[in-house]
Amino acid sequence: QVQLVESGGGLVQAGDSLTLSCATSGVFYANDAIGWFRQGPAKEREFVAATRWRLGDKIYADSVKGRFTISRDVPKETVNLQMNNLKPEDTAIYYCAVDPTGTPTTMKNSDNYDYWGQGTQVTISS
């Protein structure tokens, strides 16, 4: 059973940076993709970024491209999300999740993710 625990959220000002971490336990298979999603106040959950565990390729939502970087630490089994130049509209609960199919087509769709963490709150003040 895969377990995911997010950390690193907090309250920062616009323009600041934060790094979120997703600590994992369980067995990762080669095709697994690990994604970050977020859900802001009164908003639907949206895709942020994802990476495939074996290949290490990365995809991003247009809204965060150039500001956020997803990375994986294979020995530590963690996936990080470095967030720079944060904006008030980045305020949300951030979740990491595992997509066992791990294809460029499925990685942006939250319906394809089977395992989810509990989330970490990120609040950006203007």
Side-chain angles (χ1 to χ4, degrees):
Q1 174 99 13
V2 174
Q3 293 184 328
L4 309 170
V5 179
E6 303 94 337
S7 63
L11 171 63
V12 298
Q13 293 185 331
D16 285 351
S17 299
L18 275 177
T19 299
L20 305 183
S21 291
C22 177
T24 72
S25 62
V27 178
F28 272 115
Y29 295 97
N31 291 334
D32 283 348
I34 296 84
W36 283 95
F37 291 79
R38 67 186 182 186
Q39 187 165 14
K43 295 182 180 179
E44 294 187 353
R45 186 173 295 184
E46 63 174 354
F47 170 77
V48 176
T51 183
R52 285 190 284 188
W53 194 252
R54 179 174 62 89
L55 297 176
D57 53 338
K58 306 168 186 180
I59 58 173
Y60 297 93
D62 289 342
S63 59
V64 306
K65 204 171 290 184
R67 299 188 298 124
F68 290 13
T69 302
I70 188 171
S71 62
R72 76 203 198 291
D73 185 329
V74 175
K76 294 183 179 180
E77 290 193 322
T78 60
V79 177
N80 297 321
L81 185 68
Q82 172 70 40
M83 307 186 294
N84 298 326
N85 190 23
L86 284 161
K87 303 175 181 180
E89 52 263 41
D90 294 318
T91 294
I93 300 174
Y94 284 71
Y95 301 88
C96 64
V98 175
D99 168 14
T101 54
T103 71
T105 301
T106 66
M107 288 160 64
K108 290 187 176 182
N109 188 341
S110 62
D111 291 341
N112 296 311
Y113 286 74
D114 290 346
Y115 302 98
W116 291 82
Q118 83 290 347
T120 186
Q121 176 71 48
V122 172
T123 304
I124 315 302
S125 63
S126 57

